């Protein structure tokens, strides 16, 4: 749907845009009155067939005396981000909740409530997400500009209200937040009737670090370094999303070779993360040998990363405006040689997994996430593609990916096997893409001095990571970051996991969990 059609249709629905802007040529911004916010967002959701990709607040009180609330959708047809923006008066901090009509907005609204103290009127669930009631003072909102830490005496602990499923024969099985393995902390409360799970409630936020607050006042160089630390296994996807936002503000277009350096790094990151997921799936059904084999392949990828750029997680490759000179011709030749061994061994791993009847019995028809559920809950990324949703930002925002003949991978059934199939096929595609990009690099590229002293504006950047889109909305004032909103795909997808396990037995939860392979750190910003 084209922008003019959107505006005409909005007017037909009784919503009159106060202002329409294209601040950077990529994002369409439509400002409406607060009373029209719900109608405008619902229209965008239905017309664009997009979940709420991001919903967040900005403290503009220093400049205007008000807050802003921005709701972001993705128009797939023309690859444009579309934002509905409202002004929220500081003396009446509230807006109409979208959660009952658009469930993908629900968690974002809870986040706005706890971080800014702006109430989503009509949201039936305004419990905290990261600022747990047991340890955080009420009425203290850390993303407001005038935030100061409340004294310990202000703490008034209260109990978190879990959803209770009652009835004869219903039992609760609490798991976590501390787990026996090395995974992050999360509390999972299962309600079971006999063996089948009839409800799973998640509580996360135990690794909340105040990341978005840390960005405030940072220079662009400092912000880039911080973006590499948001989720340790997703350095490239997060730092590239940050770079895209900043480059859009600056009006910078990276050179083709710099794009290829970034794309190679992103695909290498995708490969080792997918190998982690494959290993976890195999291990959690007791199939130890292929689990260890997949971990061995992952370790070989990590060692290759270290040899190529000096860091196992690929830190330090990206700079705003380009990438470091890490892939000169001898290194490229060595990289392709090593990846040919990975490609060979992936065929052996595939044969091990698909050749085991007992393994296939554990993953086939387990943890099914229906396509309709994906659409309702706003599940994105790999988990959505395994359920038949053909959304991958590498295709929506193609740049060099089109020239490389990018092939989107998807399945239809939405079970653990489908998510496994997507991982394995995407590794094959990533290996092909890396070879294509490497053969087309023509010269070394280095952009260490791409930061301008004075930058002003705001923009959105997004990159398709191994789990799904990493989204950054960055606002810069006089060269310093005023607001950085981050959305990791895990924030969308944890709720999808809680639905996928319903009807399964508790011992199948670990393999369902590993098939999503979500990030605690990416969620608990």
């Amino acid at each position: 749907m084209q922008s003019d059609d959107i505006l005409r249709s909005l007017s037909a629905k009784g919503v009159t845009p106060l202002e329409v802007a294209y601040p950077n040529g990529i994002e369409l911004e439509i400002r409406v009155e607060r009373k029209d916010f719900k109608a405008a967002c619902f229209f965008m959701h239905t017309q664009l067939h997009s979940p709420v990709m991001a919903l967040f607040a900005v403290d503009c009180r220093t400049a205007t005396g008000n807050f802003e609330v921005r709701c972001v959708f993705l128009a797939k047809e023309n690859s444009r981000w579309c934002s509905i923006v409202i002004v929220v008066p500081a003396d009446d901090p509230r807006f109409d909740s979208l959660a009952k009509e658009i469930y993908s907005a629900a968690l974002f609204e809870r986040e706005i409530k706890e971080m800014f103290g702006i109430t989503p009127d009509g949201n039936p669930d305004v419990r905290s997400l990261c600022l747990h009631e047991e340890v955080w003072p009420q009425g203290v909102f850390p993303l407001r500009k005038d935030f100061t830490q409340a004294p310990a005496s202000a703490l008034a602990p209260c109990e978190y209200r879990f959803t209770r499923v009652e009835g004869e024969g219903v039992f609760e099985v609490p798991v976590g937040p501390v787990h026996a393995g090395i995974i992050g902390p999360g509390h999972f409360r299962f309600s079971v009737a006999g063996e089948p799970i009839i409800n799973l409630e998640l509580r996360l936020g135990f690794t909340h670090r105040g990341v978005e607050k840390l960005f405030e006042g940072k220079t662009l160089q400092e912000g880039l370094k911080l973006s590499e630390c948001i989720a340790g296994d997703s350095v490239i996807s997060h730092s590239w999303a940050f770079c895209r936002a900043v480059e859009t503000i600056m009006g910078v277009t990276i050179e083709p070779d710099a794009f290829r350096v970034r794309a190679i790094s992103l695909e290498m990151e995708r490969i080792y993360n997918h190998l982690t997921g494959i290993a976890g799936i195999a291990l959690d059904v007791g199939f130890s040998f292929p689990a260890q084999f997949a971990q061995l392949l992952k370790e070989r990828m990590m060692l290759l990363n270290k040899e190529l750029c000096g860091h196992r997680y690929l830190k330090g490759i990206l700079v705003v405006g380009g990438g470091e000179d890490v892939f000169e011709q001898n290194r490229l030749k060595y990289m392709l040689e090593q990846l040919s061994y990975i490609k060979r061994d992936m065929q052996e791993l595939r044969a091990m997994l698909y050749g085991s009847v007992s393994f296939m019995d554990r993953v086939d028809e387990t943890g099914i996430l229906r396509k309709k559920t994906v659409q309702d809950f706003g599940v994105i990324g790999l988990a959505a593609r395994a359920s038949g949703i053909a959304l991958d930002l590498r295709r929506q925002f193609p740049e060099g990916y089109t020239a490389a003949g990018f092939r989107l991978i998807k399945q239809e059934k939405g079970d653990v096997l489908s998510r496994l199939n997507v991982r394995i096929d995407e590794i094959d595609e990533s290996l092909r893409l890396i070879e294509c990009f490497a053969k087309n690099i023509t010269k070394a590229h280095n952009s260490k001095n791409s930061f301008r002293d004075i930058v002003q504006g705001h923009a959105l950047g997004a990159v398709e990571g191994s789990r799904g889109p990493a989204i950054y909305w960055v606002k810069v004032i006089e060269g310093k970051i005023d607001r950085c909103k981050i959305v990791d795909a895990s924030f969308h997808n944890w709720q999808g996991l809680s639905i996928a396990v319903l009807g399964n037995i508790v011992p199948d939860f670990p393999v369902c969990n590993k098939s999503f392979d979500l990030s605690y750190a990416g969620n608990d910003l």
Side-chain angles (χ1 to χ4, degrees):
M1 194 174 191
Q2 298 301 313
S3 302
D4 291 342
D5 295 332
I6 290 174
L7 298 176
R8 281 194 296 268
S9 299
L10 270 176
S11 298
K13 295 288 184 181
V15 177
T16 303
L18 300 176
E19 181 183 343
V20 179
Y22 302 87
N24 44 59
I26 295 175
E27 182 183 4
L28 167 65
E29 292 185 359
I30 303 174
R31 292 182 175 270
V32 300
E33 293 186 16
R34 185 166 48 156
K35 65 180 180 60
D36 292 329
F37 180 66
K38 188 172 184 177
C41 290
F42 186 69
F43 172 81
M44 299 292 275
H45 169 66
T46 55
Q47 292 298 312
L48 302 180
H49 306 289
S50 169
V52 171
M53 300 297 289
L55 174 59
F56 58 97
V58 183
D59 187 349
C60 305
R61 289 177 298 164
T62 301
T64 67
N66 301 308
F67 298 99
E68 279 187 355
V69 170
R70 309 174 72 93
C71 188
V72 181
F73 300 90
L74 175 61
K76 301 175 187 177
E77 290 183 5
N78 57 6
S79 299
R80 188 188 296 278
W81 297 100
C82 300
S83 297
I84 302 296
V85 186
I86 58 171
V87 171
V88 176
D91 58 359
D92 184 25
R94 60 183 64 250
F95 64 97
D96 291 334
S97 169
L98 310 175
K100 290 183 178 179
E101 289 78 13
I102 313 174
Y103 191 78
S104 54
L107 295 183
F108 287 109
E109 291 182 356
R110 290 172 62 183
E111 184 182 52
I112 290 172
K113 175 69 166 59
E114 71 174 356
M115 293 295 179
F116 286 89
I118 303 173
T119 302
D121 284 336
N123 189 321
D125 184 3
V126 289
R127 294 174 298 173
S128 66
L129 287 175
C130 291
L131 308 180
H132 293 172
E133 290 94 333
E134 299 91 334
V135 295
W136 189 263
Q138 296 296 305
V140 178
F141 309 113
L143 287 186
R144 291 188 174 191
K145 297 297 186 185
D146 54 1
F147 163 74
T148 55
Q149 181 62 55
S153 59
L155 179 64
C158 59
E159 184 178 356
Y160 184 82
R161 295 175 291 104
F162 284 95
T163 301
R164 301 296 298 272
V165 180
E166 298 181 344
E168 185 176 354
V170 176
F171 293 89
E172 284 189 348
V173 182
V175 178
V178 179
H179 301 280
I182 59 171
I183 64 173
H187 183 79
F188 305 93
R189 183 164 296 208
F190 300 88
S191 296
V192 297
E195 287 194 325
I197 300 169
I198 59 175
N199 187 60
L200 168 59
E201 186 164 5
L202 310 173
R203 194 185 189 199
L204 303 171
F206 296 94
T207 54
H208 174 65
R209 296 149 290 160
V211 165
E212 292 180 2
K213 193 69 176 179
L214 290 176
F215 273 94
E216 292 182 9
K218 294 286 191 295
T219 65
L220 300 182
Q221 182 68 59
E222 291 167 340
L224 175 58
K225 294 302 180 185
L226 183 55
S227 70
E228 293 184 327
C229 304
I230 303 307
D233 60 6
S234 301
V235 169
I236 298 298
S237 55
H238 275 267
S239 59
W240 192 353
F242 176 84
C243 284
R244 287 190 74 139
V246 173
E247 286 159 359
T248 302
I249 297 170
M250 297 171 63
V252 171
T253 301
I254 63 174
E255 296 180 5
D257 277 349
F259 175 88
R260 294 180 188 115
V261 168
R262 292 184 181 187
I264 289 172
S265 305
L266 181 67
E267 297 310 316
M268 292 182 72
E269 179 176 275
R270 193 181 318 278
I271 291 170
Y272 76 69
N273 275 308
H274 282 347
L275 285 167
T276 301
I278 294 168
I281 291 170
L283 184 64
D284 281 338
V285 300
F287 204 6
S288 299
F289 186 79
Q292 295 305 314
F293 189 54
Q295 287 286 11
L296 176 62
L297 295 184
K298 175 192 173 181
E299 178 60 21
R300 285 169 58 183
M301 288 297 302
M302 305 292 277
L303 288 173
L304 180 58
N305 293 344
K306 173 76 171 180
E307 291 169 342
L308 291 173
C309 74
H311 199 285
R312 288 167 59 87
Y313 288 93
L314 299 168
K315 287 186 177 181
I317 291 181
L318 271 65
V319 295
V320 171
E324 295 286 7
D325 178 14
V326 295
F327 293 136
E328 49 86 23
Q329 291 302 317
N330 288 336
R331 287 184 180 180
L332 284 174
K333 182 178 178 181
Y334 175 74
M335 177 188 71
L336 292 176
E337 179 183 293
Q338 295 301 309
L339 290 179
S340 69
Y341 302 141
I342 298 291
K343 184 176 182 179
R344 178 199 64 194
D345 291 342
M346 276 302 302
Q347 299 308 311
E348 187 173 349
L349 178 60
R350 182 193 292 260
M352 287 182 201
L353 295 171
Y354 293 159
S356 170
V357 174
S358 60
F359 173 77
M360 295 296 285
D361 182 63
R362 285 297 305 276
V363 297
D364 190 20
E365 301 283 344
T366 300
I368 295 175
L369 187 65
R370 306 288 182 192
K371 185 175 183 178
K372 181 66 165 60
T373 305
V374 168
Q375 293 168 331
D376 290 344
F377 279 74
V379 174
I380 56 178
L382 178 144
R385 292 193 292 278
S387 297
I389 302 296
L391 175 61
D392 188 315
L393 293 188
R394 289 176 292 175
R395 188 172 74 171
Q396 298 303 127
F397 300 91
E399 298 169 289
Y401 276 97
T402 296
F406 169 69
R407 180 173 66 96
L408 185 144
I409 308 296
K410 73 181 182 76
Q411 297 272 297
E412 298 295 334
K413 195 157 54 170
D415 57 359
V416 171
L417 179 57
S418 297
R419 292 186 282 276
L420 173 67
N421 290 339
V422 171
R423 290 185 188 281
I424 291 175
D425 289 346
E426 285 197 353
I427 289 176
D428 290 344
E429 177 65 2
S430 291
L431 289 168
R432 188 193 68 79
L433 288 168
I434 290 171
E435 183 176 359
C436 181
F437 290 131
K439 288 180 177 178
N440 285 285
I441 288 181
T442 58
K443 62 181 179 63
H445 182 82
N446 195 311
S447 301
K448 289 185 177 180
N449 300 311
S450 295
F451 290 94
R452 293 197 334 232
D453 292 333
I454 302 298
V455 180
Q456 194 125 326
H458 65 268
L460 186 146
V463 169
E464 187 74 31
S466 60
R467 297 181 178 92
I471 301 172
Y472 277 63
W473 186 87
V474 181
K475 181 179 180 182
V476 180
I477 298 177
E478 295 183 353
K480 298 292 182 68
I481 298 171
D482 180 71
R483 176 79 167 100
C484 181
K485 174 60 189 169
I486 306 166
V487 183
D488 185 271
S490 297
F491 187 83
H492 286 269
N493 291 354
W494 277 109
Q495 293 299 307
L497 171 63
S498 71
I499 301 299
V501 301
L502 300 182
N504 294 266
I505 60 176
V506 173
D508 277 336
F509 171 73
V511 70
C512 292
N513 187 15
K514 292 300 192 302
S515 72
F516 280 79
D517 188 33
L518 302 177
S519 170
Y520 294 88
N523 183 87
D524 302 344
L525 299 176

